[in-house]
Amino acid sequence: MGGKKSDGKVLAQNKKASHDYFIEDTYEAGMVLTGTEIKSIRNGKANIGDAFATIRNGEINIHNMHISPFEQGNRSNPTDPTRTRKLLMHKEQIHKLLGQSKQDGFSIVPLKIYIRNGYAKLLLGLGRGKKQYDKRETAAKRDAQRDIQRALREKQKIAR
């Protein structure tokens, strides 16, 4: 019965990332967690809205990711919910990400947290910042698509 535990349920998502950045490429990273942080993540008590990633000394870290303390936690509960956490990636991936993020206008953006095979994973995106007119253009396209779908639904209701 030793099958793989793979649910891939999204536990936290950065919805502002697609609004503020053009996501060029994505990478999956593991997280180094302490104490009962994994229990809080599984309960959906994580927030990556203000989080950002940096690469220093060949290691990638995530800053400002908020994981609320576990309610039934013990003394191994971390005291600082927004502490800097190390991310686990292959060296080649880190070097590739570093090279791409050094280009003008690119940054490393956390996109979502999910569980894969029993481990918490963080999806990182290589994002190029959007200008204000790009954001307006994206919103206009989304509104136009919504209007088209609404018109098609109305037409189908009338045809019945």
Side-chain angles (χ1 to χ4, degrees):
M1 279 223 235
K4 286 173 74 173
K5 301 184 292 184
S6 174
D7 46 304
K9 181 182 164 203
V10 175
L11 301 169
Q13 196 163 5
N14 188 355
K15 292 180 180 169
K16 278 177 45 180
S18 61
H19 182 263
D20 294 338
Y21 297 96
F22 292 113
I23 304 300
E24 304 289 330
D25 202 2
T26 58
Y27 296 90
E28 183 181 74
M31 293 186 282
V32 176
L33 302 172
T34 60
T36 55
E37 286 179 329
I38 186 65
K39 292 183 178 187
S40 291
I41 289 176
R42 285 176 197 252
N43 287 340
K45 303 287 187 188
N47 183 2
I48 54 173
D50 298 329
F52 62 96
T54 59
I55 299 175
R56 192 173 293 138
N57 299 331
E59 293 182 348
I60 187 163
N61 295 303
I62 186 158
H63 306 274
N64 285 349
M65 180 173 72
H66 188 277
I67 299 176
S68 299
F70 188 60
E71 291 87 21
Q72 292 85 33
N74 54 10
R75 65 174 171 240
S76 66
N77 244 358
T79 55
D80 184 16
T82 59
R83 69 181 182 84
T84 301
R85 293 169 179 88
K86 184 178 174 182
L87 298 178
L88 305 171
M89 292 176 73
H90 293 287
K91 267 195 166 85
E92 300 84 38
Q93 286 181 318
I94 293 174
H95 291 306
K96 183 178 177 185
L97 194 58
L98 179 64
Q100 290 174 332
S101 67
K102 288 284 186 191
Q103 296 176 13
D104 249 1
F106 282 95
S107 56
I108 306 167
V109 184
L111 300 175
K112 59 183 168 182
I113 298 174
Y114 54 94
I115 302 288
R116 175 172 289 160
N117 298 334
Y119 295 102
K121 302 288 184 179
L122 178 69
L123 187 69
L124 295 172
L126 185 68
R128 184 169 39 92
K130 285 186 180 179
K131 304 281 190 250
Q132 188 64 35
Y133 58 84
D134 290 330
K135 293 178 188 178
R136 282 195 290 263
E137 183 180 314
T138 304
K141 283 181 184 176
R142 186 178 58 236
D143 291 344
Q145 192 65 32
R146 201 176 292 145
D147 290 342
I148 290 169
Q149 293 298 325
R150 188 178 301 125
L152 287 174
R153 275 196 308 270
E154 291 297 321
K155 190 174 182 181
Q156 287 176 349
K157 283 182 182 177
I158 293 171
R160 288 186 188 171

